[in-house]
Amino acid sequence: QRQALDFAYGVDRHAFFMEMGTGKTKTSIDLMTAHMLAGRFGTWVVFCPNSVRHNWAREIEAHCPVSPGVVVVESGKKAKTDDNPLQVIIVGLESLSSKYRGGTAYQTLVDLIGGKKYAVTVDESHLCKNHDANRSRNVRDIASGAVVCNIMTGSPVTQGLLDLYMPFEILDPQILGFGSFFAFKNRYAIMGGYENREVIGYQNQDELMTT
């Protein structure tokens, strides 16, 4: 945790690919608290699976020394912040799946962060691996305006190297440097099978790992 925190504090776009039980949540809380204390932003958006939204709220209450106001965005319900100048907004990833740039949860989040400097953490970022999914695109659009962005997962690759594209697009499109998923796929995937639509292998893997 100390090594991850020391590395990430000086980098505005970073990934915690840390195994389960190694303290990703605590590390992210410590990191974002340090930035809040430095005055870099007053609002922190946490994207996470719906099932752990309230776990995040409890962890923030336990470990964040600045006592921010915490808002858990519930699907289908409007939410608002209090007068606390420091805010954490926790949003379930599943609630962003129904519509691109739409839906109650997305619009509520846009209203809450409007005009503010904010940071983004994407917990279990492998859940945003589908480049064409509404969830992934909504998270990407919000993350693009963040002062600091952090993605984290213990499983960055679940099916193949193409899983890496969208989480890194969310983090920063300049990291991979491709204009589209298809350009990324053409560079690193070997296609075959019926009508050449099946990924049968990978190429240029050393290049990708050193990017």
Side-chain angles (χ1 to χ4, degrees), residues 11-173:
V11 184
D12 287 344
R13 298 288 190 272
H14 46 270
F16 292 156
F17 292 158
M18 300 162 62
E19 295 181 3
M20 184 181 297
T22 56
K24 294 187 294 294
T25 301
K26 174 65 162 58
T27 306
S28 185
I29 292 170
D30 290 346
L31 172 68
M32 295 305 186
T33 298
H35 282 304
M36 282 183 169
L37 289 171
R40 298 200 63 199
F41 53 81
T43 300
W44 174 25
V45 178
V46 176
F47 294 110
C48 64
N50 280 351
S51 61
V52 299
R53 287 173 303 168
H54 294 283
N55 292 346
W56 264 96
R58 287 190 291 270
E59 290 292 312
I60 289 167
E61 182 178 356
H63 298 297
C64 187
V66 298
S67 299
V70 177
V71 176
V72 178
V73 175
E74 305 284 354
S75 183
K77 298 180 181 179
K78 290 289 186 178
K80 62 180 181 179
T81 59
D82 55 27
D83 293 331
N84 193 323
L86 302 178
Q87 299 286 339
V88 181
I89 304 168
I90 304 173
V91 186
L93 288 167
E94 294 89 339
S95 67
L96 302 174
S97 299
S98 62
K99 187 176 181 181
Y100 178 47
R101 294 183 177 176
T104 304
Y106 179 84
Q107 192 56 56
T108 296
L109 175 58
V110 169
D111 292 344
L112 291 176
I113 64 175
K116 300 175 182 177
K117 290 183 178 180
Y118 64 91
V120 163
T121 288
V122 186
D123 186 17
E124 306 296 355
S125 57
H126 62 276
L127 298 177
C128 296
K129 66 184 178 183
N130 186 339
H131 74 282
D132 202 34
N134 291 330
R135 171 196 307 176
S136 303
R137 295 191 295 162
N138 284 331
V139 172
R140 178 199 61 197
D141 287 2
I142 298 296
S144 68
V147 176
V148 177
C149 184
N150 165 233
I151 64 173
M152 55 190 209
T153 178
S155 306
V157 175
T158 58
Q159 295 181 321
L161 291 181
L162 299 186
D163 291 353
L164 294 172
Y165 175 77
M166 196 59 183
F168 276 101
E169 281 292 291
I170 290 169
L171 192 59
D172 186 343

